[in-house]
Amino acid sequence: MDFDFRLKVFYVAANTLNFTKAASELFISQPAVSKNIQEIENSIGTPLFERLGNRLALTPAGKILYKHAQVILEQYNQATYEINEITGKQNGNLFLGISTTISQYVIPKMLVEFNLHFPQNEIKVTQANSKRVEQLLIKNEIHLGITEGLPDNRSLKFTPYIKDEIVLVTRYTNPLCKEERFVLNDIYKLALVFREPGSGTRDIIDCKLKEAGISLQHLHTEIILSSSESIKRYLKYSNTAAFLSIHAIQEELKNGDLKIIELEDFSIERYFYITHLVGGLASLPLKFMNFIQQHKGKIYS
């Protein structure tokens, strides 16, 4: 197990060529990255990284290990799943980590459908923001994640699941939003509600606003809340606005409680991702992944 983790640390560090970024992706400290790399180097008797000016590079030995590391990790994961199956540790259990928006609005019907087709399995779902789901995967505490964040963690594989759009919404009676369309700079006039840092929705909103030249520190953030449900309830009683997944507001749009503020020449589109450790999937996690991909048309049917 220790070697497995050290190799994973090396693989991510070799991908990023930056120990600080590798530490962030693995949810460990930068000294811990250095320590694990040094332990491998001591074991094989040669350096794996070298400094070339201000940048980090792989040594010839590092390049050889990097070439084989992904294959080794894939085979290790596959072997672990197969051993767990014959020893009964899998035992029909499926541990999922699902980010908040997907857990509340997208995946419930898929879980029902899966249980109808495969009733002998026990499924445990942990709802958390996308960064926490990634952390649970890296710690091997869950088999599979479904996340809404930016797919930028090199120790994980991200497979597009379904498309999403994030829209700016407010309560239907907000007197500040009577116009049919807004330009993006009108956002500075609004009091805004945001999700917490670490939320996949928050990450992509911040990224897209920065790309559009919006100064995040100059926005009027009235409050930060931890879920789309709490944001929708807050919007109901205030003249604030928030960016929310279109999947999260279907009922409120039908009922006339919320309305979308159309922003000219600005949109936020993304994918929800099925997420797992780099390497193969086996048994129940693979079966679940294939099932929800094949049946995604039934989410709202």
Side-chain angles (χ1 to χ4, degrees), residues 40-49 59 61-62:
I40 298 178
E41 290 176 333
N42 291 340
S43 176
I44 63 178
T46 187
L48 298 170
F49 294 91
T59 63

Side-chain angles (χ1 to χ4, degrees), residues 70-129:
Q70 182 170 347
V71 175
I72 294 169
L73 289 170
E74 287 177 356
Q75 292 178 343
Y76 184 91
N77 289 340
Q78 184 73 19
T80 300
Y81 277 122
E82 291 178 14
I83 291 169
N84 285 342
E85 283 184 323
I86 65 171
T87 58
K89 290 183 179 179
Q90 291 291 92
N91 198 30
N93 292 332
L94 176 62
F95 299 121
L96 303 173
I98 305 179
S99 61
T100 310
T101 299
I102 304 165
S103 176
Q104 290 177 329
Y105 308 109
V106 175
I107 209 66
K109 189 169 184 181
M110 289 293 95
L111 293 172
V112 173
E113 293 279 342
F114 185 75
N115 274 325
L116 287 173
H117 283 78
F118 307 101
Q120 302 305 314
N121 303 305
E122 183 175 330
I123 302 175
K124 179 182 177 182
V125 176
T126 298
Q127 178 180 296
N129 68 39

Side-chain angles (χ1 to χ4, degrees), residues 29-61:
S29 68
Q30 193 261 320
V33 171
S34 300
K35 179 176 180 292
N36 279 279
I37 298 295
Q38 187 175 27
E39 287 174 353
I40 298 178
E41 290 176 333
N42 291 340
S43 176
I44 63 178
T46 187
L48 298 170
F49 294 91
E50 61 182 342
R51 287 257 168 219
L52 296 178
N54 293 325
R55 65 186 183 88
L56 204 60
L58 289 168
T59 63

Side-chain angles (χ1 to χ4, degrees), residues 17-28:
L17 293 177
N18 185 310
F19 283 10
T20 301
K21 187 165 185 181
S24 175
E25 293 189 3
L26 291 162
F27 302 97
I28 60 176

Side-chain angles (χ1 to χ4, degrees), residues 182-237:
F182 278 62
V183 295
L184 185 55
N185 277 343
D186 287 331
I187 198 174
Y188 290 113
K189 303 173 186 177
L190 300 175
L192 298 168
V193 185
F194 283 106
R195 284 283 305 276
E196 80 285 3
S199 153
T201 300
R202 173 65 183 269
D203 287 348
I204 197 164
I205 291 166
D206 288 355
C207 179
K208 293 295 185 180
L209 288 174
K210 283 179 184 176
E211 288 177 0
I214 294 295
S215 174
L216 300 180
Q217 63 266 33
H218 292 147
L219 293 177
H220 176 197
T221 301
E222 180 165 308
I223 191 170
I224 294 172
L225 296 171
S226 61
S227 71
S228 296
E229 279 299 303
S230 57
I231 290 176
K232 288 191 296 182
R233 289 175 185 151
Y234 193 89
L235 293 179
K236 184 177 178 180
Y237 300 107

